[in-house]
Amino acid sequence: MERILAWLVAHPRRVILATALISLAAALSLFDLETGRLRLQIDPSLERLLPADDEGQAVFQRLQTAFGDSDRLLLAVKLPSVLSAEGLASVERATTALLAVPGVGDVLSLATAPNLLADAQSLDVSTFSRLAVEQPETIPGMAAQIESNPLYAGSLLTDDDRLAAFVISLEGVDAETFRRTDMAAVLRAAARVEGVEAVWLTSAVVIQAATTDALLHTLGFTLPAIFVLIVLMLAVAFRCLRATLVATVTICISLLWTLALMVWFQLPLNLVTSIVPPLILTLALSYAVHVLAEFFSPNPADDRGRLLRVLRRASLPLLLCGATTAAGFLALGLSPLPAVRQFAGLASAGVVIAILLMLTFLPVMLEIAGCAAHGPLPGTAMWTRLAERLARFDVRYRSIIIGLSVVAMVVAGLFATRIRSGADYIGNFSPESEVRADFETLNTAFNGATMVSILIETYVNDALTQPELLRQIDELQRWLRSQPEVGAAVSYVDHLKVLNQSLNEGDPAYFRIPDSAAAAKQILVFGGSEALKRAVDAGFRSAVVSIRLNVDDSIAIADFVQRTEARLAQLPRPLDAALTGTPVIATRTVEVLASGQWQSMGVALLVILLMLSVLFNSLRAAALALLPNLAPIVTYFGLLGLTGVSLNPTTSLIACIVLGIAVDDTIHFLTRFNHDARASGSEQKAVASALGHTVRPVTLTSIALILGFLVFTGSELRNQVQFGWLSALTLALAWGVDLTLTPALGSKLRIVSLWDLLRLDLGQSPQHTIPMFAGLSLRQARLFALMARMEVVEAQAAVIREGEVARDMYVIVDGRLEVWVDRDGERRVLAEMTRGAVVGETGYFGQRRTAHVTAVTPARVLRFNSQDLERVRLRYPRIAATLFRNLNRIQAERIARMTAMVK
């Protein structure tokens, strides 16, 4: 590490050049140089959130292959009276205009639907609008004919005769093409023919297009807003224009590189990954604050010395921050949902990129730009007073703070049991939005605008013409229509019954299933139409039941799916049926997401616990360090249960994100507290000094993160608004915990960090050259040294004075000490001690010092007392046993030498 830091200090221009070249390549990769279009992909589809091998996804694909796109568009127009000559003429004109729109395959409306139940001597295939022209006298009877036909009842006309529906099928138009060409607006404009008072349009593709536009608008709003926040935050906090500009550029480069990764790995922006760009900007801002705080901290070093000092002090905390934050994100990689795994990978990569730039490009640029603090940072005295007051409060009310935190966690845990998984995809838009208003209008008018399907497969030719199987499907439809969520359920069985009645002069007695398979097949073949082809295949092996639901949130749909799947399981062989459709897949997505939430959280906690165990060399210390970070997480889940906010694709990310971020501040405090506690020997002083060092950067980074997440509340999508305020609130709680509960718990905790172990110098092979460490490993020797106190003694300085009362012992690490007494004004040297010698044992056992000990040369000594040894005994009993054995051996050898001298 030291060699890397030294290289950075020695080659700043190489760092800048490398960063510039990579940034240029990243910027070029974002755009197609031929067309100038942005290469970032946008995918608002819900079905692709599931794994490609998911069974529900496979069923949906088979449905689309066999019967075309099942998510047809529902368009409705308002007329003074639909069933009038003028109204049906308007429907005819609108149908013609819609069919002329590129990408429209066919349109089912009163202008294209045959009136099979019209009174006639033979089968009349004329449409309603054509009959109105040719036989105006039939118009009054059309309402009853529509109501009697299950294919049209409640689907093509509302009961009040004011709204006419158009069911539109698209060909060769995917969601992105639909959005890019603004096909929704084109269809609405085409339907505004003479006589039309209003137009409404809805479907899955319309909602997806609106979602994409909302995502783009959110990014277009959040990124500039966070950019402005970055500039203002840095300018106010550090009051240095050049530092603000350099830090802002570094943060923007972090985002640029992350976006380039999305392009290189062809990862799209979707409902989940769209959070990554603002998140990286916000996290990078918090890391930049730590680096700037170190850079501008008072230090009389020269320029080159300052850069190395900043790198040394900032490297470990930022590396730890990056590791724990990335661990929290990577835990989400266990999710079965590709979008969540993509988020985990992108967010983790963005964190690594930000940390790398903060430890290389930012400090080097600060030096080259000539940034320097002009006196103390603003508000230094205020922060110092705040830290002192917090320290007194945390130590004095330690038990109360811990008790209230435990009670709050228990209460929040009880509320968390009320959490439900779900997503309201239409409710995700504001009530004023066109897409939501259209959906709710059509959902109310036609008793359902959410389309799902049941795919029925038999794998046997002509099986679906068998009367017994036809009756099973008919019975299934009756059951479906009895469900409160179902507005309509239509299948080829309805076509068959209507055709059978039409072929028998419209006699209602024939509105039934034929008695033989041959008759059923003959009728279906004779009455074949485009509409029928979309309901049953040519071999009569598979069919589809089209269902219109009057609910759109995944919780209600999940209840319907559960009941329906139980009912489908009762169908006899060879009928094999599965419920599918975009809403069903979306519901499945949320269920899979919820099932993986607790697994991701558990893995995140375990990984961070193991990392802290390695860092602090103690599982107990790691558990206590992690405990304060559980409080805001448990409270967050309690808030979900209390407020009724569901666990959805965005809110499910918050817990792991906050856990990875919040633990950083705990690490900062505990490592600083432990260092200061060893140096001062006072718990309260250590709490005050640790808070004094961390309260400013922790508060500034928390403010930056909170404001950054609050920017999401300006989104058009409710789930991102929820993500913003819930993340901000949880981080605010984490900040409060870090200033109260963490010091309260940490004030009784003595930790030894891995970095301390690596940096501590005990000389060469202390386990072999220092008798007290005999039998210990190098790591064990360093553990004890860190739980004691390493002191540097100048030449001629006194270490021990004769006659003092003290309980400390010393082990000489390096240098030379002289033991002497003053007798009758004469200095008598008793011994000279070097590396490995133990001095001060008399005082350790409660006696007055019997001699002076002075440093002959500059020396380092390890100072410890009985309390230090007791802490070692409790936490590391094997190390303590070896130390006690060695101390006994040293004392025995010393007594033996003294006895020999006496003889």
Side-chain angles (χ1 to χ4, degrees):
M1 177 64 76
E2 285 293 328
R3 287 197 295 270
I4 294 174
L5 298 182
W7 187 91
L8 290 173
V9 172
H11 304 91
R13 299 191 184 280
R14 293 186 184 181
V15 173
I16 296 173
L17 178 61
T19 304
L21 291 175
I22 296 174
S23 300
L24 178 60
L28 292 175
S29 69
L30 290 180
F31 296 92
D32 188 326
L33 298 181
E34 294 182 1
T35 63
R37 289 178 56 187
L38 192 66
R39 285 180 173 170
L40 277 176
Q41 304 173 31
I42 301 173
D43 183 9
S45 61
L46 300 173
E47 60 269 17
R48 283 194 286 273
L49 293 181
L50 280 176
D53 59 353
D54 182 79
E55 178 58 27
Q57 186 87 301
V59 172
F60 187 62
Q61 290 174 353
R62 292 203 303 271
L63 173 68
Q64 290 183 313
T65 301
F67 301 105
D69 189 359
S70 62
D71 292 326
R72 292 184 282 274
L73 287 74
L74 176 60
L75 183 146
V77 298
K78 185 177 181 181
L79 298 165
S81 174
V82 176
L83 295 181
S84 64
E86 297 79 8
L88 289 171
S90 295
V91 172
E92 180 84 35
R93 287 192 293 271
T95 302
T96 302
L98 290 171
L99 286 169
V101 174
V104 173
D106 64 75
V107 176
L108 176 64
S109 71
L110 294 174
T112 59
N115 186 2
L116 299 175
L117 299 183
D119 295 331
Q121 297 299 319
S122 60
L123 182 63
D124 189 342
V125 294
S126 294
T127 64
F128 291 90
S129 60
R130 180 56 52 193
L131 280 172
V133 174
E134 297 174 353
Q135 302 177 40
E137 68 277 6
T138 63
I139 294 178
M142 288 182 179
Q145 293 161 359
I146 292 173
E147 183 63 27
S148 301
N149 191 333
L151 300 175
Y152 308 147
S155 299
L156 297 182
L157 179 69
T158 55
D159 294 338
D160 63 0
D161 189 33
R162 295 298 307 278
L163 270 65
F166 302 77
V167 181
I168 304 170
S169 298
L170 302 178
E171 289 184 357
V173 179
D174 58 17
E176 179 56 24
T177 302
F178 186 92
R179 185 199 67 84
R180 190 175 62 252
T181 58
D182 199 7
M183 197 167 181
V186 173
L187 292 172
R188 287 189 177 96
R192 289 185 182 278
V193 297
E194 182 182 350
V196 171
E197 298 176 359
V199 178
W200 299 273
L201 176 67
T202 191
S203 76
V205 71
V206 173
I207 295 171
Q208 290 176 9
T211 301
T212 301
D213 290 336
L215 288 177
L216 292 173
H217 181 268
T218 298
L219 288 175
F221 165 75
T222 56
L223 295 182
I226 294 177
F227 179 81
V228 172
L229 169 66
I230 289 170
V231 175
L232 292 177
M233 183 82 180
L234 295 175
V236 171
F238 299 101
R239 297 184 185 178
C240 177
L241 178 59
R242 279 176 289 181
T244 298
L245 293 176
V246 168
T248 302
V249 169
T250 307
I251 293 168
C252 291
I253 292 175
S254 301
L255 175 61
L256 175 64
W257 290 13
T258 305
L259 293 177
L261 285 179
M262 297 185 72
V263 172
W264 292 339
F265 290 99
Q266 298 182 339
L267 300 177
L269 283 172
N270 53 43
L271 286 172
V272 179
T273 56
S274 62
I275 296 172
V276 171
L279 179 64
I280 294 303
L281 281 182
T282 305
L283 290 175
L285 171 59
S286 69
Y287 301 149
V289 168
H290 282 290
V291 174
L292 290 173
E294 288 291 351
F295 189 86
F296 287 129
S297 62
N299 195 298
D302 56 47
D303 287 348
R304 183 60 57 85
R306 178 174 58 181
L307 178 57
L308 187 58
R309 170 182 59 82
V310 170
L311 290 172
R312 282 173 174 169
R313 290 188 178 182
S315 57
L316 176 65
L318 283 183
L319 288 173
L320 292 176
C321 288
T324 53
T325 304
F329 290 155
L330 287 175
L332 294 168
L334 297 174
S335 172
L337 299 183
V340 176
R341 293 200 300 270
Q342 291 166 4
F343 170 85
L346 282 172
S348 302
V351 167
V352 172
I353 289 171
I355 294 294
L356 176 64
L357 289 170
M358 296 305 159
L359 292 178
T360 55
F361 182 74
L362 177 58
V364 166
M365 281 298 298
L366 288 172
E367 281 295 303
I368 290 181
C371 303
H374 304 287
L377 289 174
T380 300
M382 178 195 70
W383 292 111
T384 302
R385 289 193 300 270
L386 175 61
E388 291 173 351
R389 292 174 182 173
L390 277 172
R392 288 195 296 269
F393 176 84
D394 293 343
V395 173
R396 182 176 180 180
Y397 299 105
R398 177 190 301 126
S399 299
I400 296 176
I401 292 172
I402 295 174
L404 289 176
S405 299
V406 171
V407 171
M409 290 174 66
V410 171
V411 173
L414 293 175
F415 279 114
T417 59
R418 302 180 180 179
I419 294 176
R420 291 202 65 179
S421 303
D424 187 354
Y425 295 104
I426 285 297
N428 204 20
F429 296 91
S430 68
E432 296 77 22
S433 65
E434 184 178 46
V435 64
R436 180 171 174 177
D438 280 13
F439 175 88
E440 291 178 345
T441 298
L442 297 179
N443 191 56
T444 301
F446 294 96
N447 192 26
T450 301
M451 303 299 297
V452 298
S453 303
I454 295 177
L455 177 63
I456 299 175
E457 298 171 302
T458 65
Y459 308 103
V460 178
N461 284 334
D462 295 334
L464 295 181
T465 62
Q466 299 296 323
E468 59 272 19
L469 296 185
L470 288 167
R471 293 187 185 96
Q472 288 290 336
I473 296 173
D474 194 37
E475 182 61 32
L476 172 63
Q477 286 184 246
R478 279 197 293 269
W479 180 87
L480 288 168
R481 290 163 183 156
S482 69
Q483 303 306 302
E485 302 91 349
V486 175
V490 179
S491 77
Y492 81 105
V493 177
D494 298 304
H495 286 266
L496 175 61
K497 290 158 70 174
V498 171
L499 287 169
N500 192 25
Q501 181 180 353
S502 297
L503 290 171
N504 289 276
E505 299 181 356
D507 186 351
Y510 286 90
F511 185 76
R512 59 180 174 81
I513 296 170
D515 296 328
S516 68
K521 182 176 181 180
Q522 183 179 13
I523 293 172
L524 289 171
V525 172
F526 178 77
S529 64
E530 288 300 319
L532 186 58
K533 291 177 182 178
R534 289 183 174 274
V536 65
D537 71 338
F540 302 107
R541 293 158 51 98
S542 59
V544 60
V545 180
S546 299
I547 306 169
R548 199 171 66 245
L549 301 180
N550 52 32
V551 293
D552 68 289
D553 66 284
S554 64
I555 294 177
I557 293 175
D559 292 339
F560 170 74
V561 169
Q562 185 177 12
R563 295 195 307 274
T564 303
E565 288 180 343
R567 177 64 180 81
L568 296 179
Q570 300 173 11
L571 293 175
R573 307 302 295 175
L575 297 179
D576 186 8
L579 185 65
T580 188
T582 298
V584 176
I585 291 177
T587 300
R588 169 66 178 157
T589 300
V590 174
E591 291 175 347
V592 172
L593 185 70
S595 65
Q597 171 70 45
W598 309 114
Q599 180 186 20
S600 298
M601 272 302 303
V603 170
L605 289 170
L606 179 60
V607 170
I608 292 176
L609 179 64
L610 293 177
M611 291 175 62
L612 294 178
S613 298
V614 173
L615 174 64
F616 294 146
N617 293 280
S618 167
L619 184 61
R620 173 176 172 270
L624 287 176
L626 189 59
L627 184 60
N629 299 284
L630 289 178
I633 303 302
V634 175
T635 304
Y636 161 69
F637 285 118
L639 282 173
L640 290 184
L642 180 63
T643 60
V645 175
S646 62
L647 201 61
N648 58 50
T650 49
T651 57
S652 66
L653 306 176
I654 295 175
C656 287
I657 290 175
V658 172
L659 178 63
I661 294 173
V663 75
D664 300 342
D665 296 333
T666 302
I667 293 173
H668 280 295
F669 174 83
L670 289 179
T671 51
R672 185 71 186 192
F673 168 80
N674 196 53
H675 175 273
D676 294 349
R678 287 199 302 268
S680 66
S682 168
E683 172 186 298
Q684 184 159 337
K685 288 182 179 179
V687 171
S689 60
L691 282 173
H693 181 80
T694 60
V695 68
R696 182 191 185 98
V698 164
T699 301
L700 290 177
T701 55
S702 295
I703 292 173
L705 289 166
I706 289 169
L707 293 177
F709 282 112
L710 283 177
V711 170
F712 282 95
T713 60
S715 172
E716 295 178 10
L717 299 176
R718 191 178 69 169
N719 61 356
Q720 293 201 328
V721 173
Q722 292 172 345
F723 174 83
W725 74 261
L726 282 170
S727 298
L729 182 57
T730 308
L731 283 170
L733 290 171
W735 171 78
V737 165
D738 282 325
L739 297 185
T740 53
L741 182 58
T742 300
L745 284 171
S747 61
K748 286 298 183 182
L749 180 66
R750 298 294 182 266
I751 59 175
V752 176
S753 73
L754 178 64
W755 188 247
D756 292 331
L757 282 178
L758 296 176
R759 292 196 305 178
L760 180 65
D761 179 18
L762 291 177
Q764 185 175 6
S765 303
Q767 67 273 35
H768 301 304
T769 56
I770 297 178
M772 187 173 172
F773 295 154
L776 298 178
S777 66
L778 177 59
R779 176 180 175 277
Q780 290 173 326
R782 286 175 169 173
L783 276 172
F784 170 71
L786 287 168
M787 297 193 74
R789 289 165 295 284
M790 182 71 74
E791 295 183 356
V792 177
V793 185
E794 300 294 334
Q796 306 305 316
V799 177
I800 294 174
R801 289 184 174 83
E802 184 180 2
E804 287 181 336
V805 177
R807 293 183 176 274
D808 298 309
M809 293 178 67
Y810 300 86
V811 176
I812 302 174
V813 177
D814 51 43
R816 214 155 32 93
L817 303 184
E818 188 176 71
V819 181
W820 58 279
V821 295
D822 188 349
R823 296 294 181 265
D824 301 327
E826 181 181 352
R827 179 187 176 108
R828 298 182 181 180
V829 177
L830 303 179
E832 192 171 274
M833 297 184 172
T834 56
R835 176 176 172 80
V838 176
V839 296
E841 67 277 7
T842 303
Y844 176 83
F845 290 107
Q847 304 298 318
R848 290 182 179 274
R849 303 293 193 185
T850 58
H852 297 282
V853 178
T854 305
V856 178
T857 64
R860 289 189 304 140
V861 296
L862 194 62
R863 179 178 178 177
F864 62 94
N865 55 31
S866 59
Q867 293 179 345
D868 297 323
L869 288 173
E870 180 63 14
R871 284 199 299 271
V872 175
R873 185 186 70 80
L874 292 174
R875 290 187 58 186
Y876 308 105
R878 292 188 179 181
I879 297 177
T882 303
L883 291 172
F884 286 131
R885 183 198 66 191
N886 292 339
L887 281 173
N888 287 336
R889 180 183 298 165
I890 292 169
Q891 292 302 311
E893 291 174 354
R894 187 164 295 177
I895 291 173
R897 287 196 299 271
M898 292 178 63
T899 303
M901 292 174 61
V902 171
K903 291 180 178 180

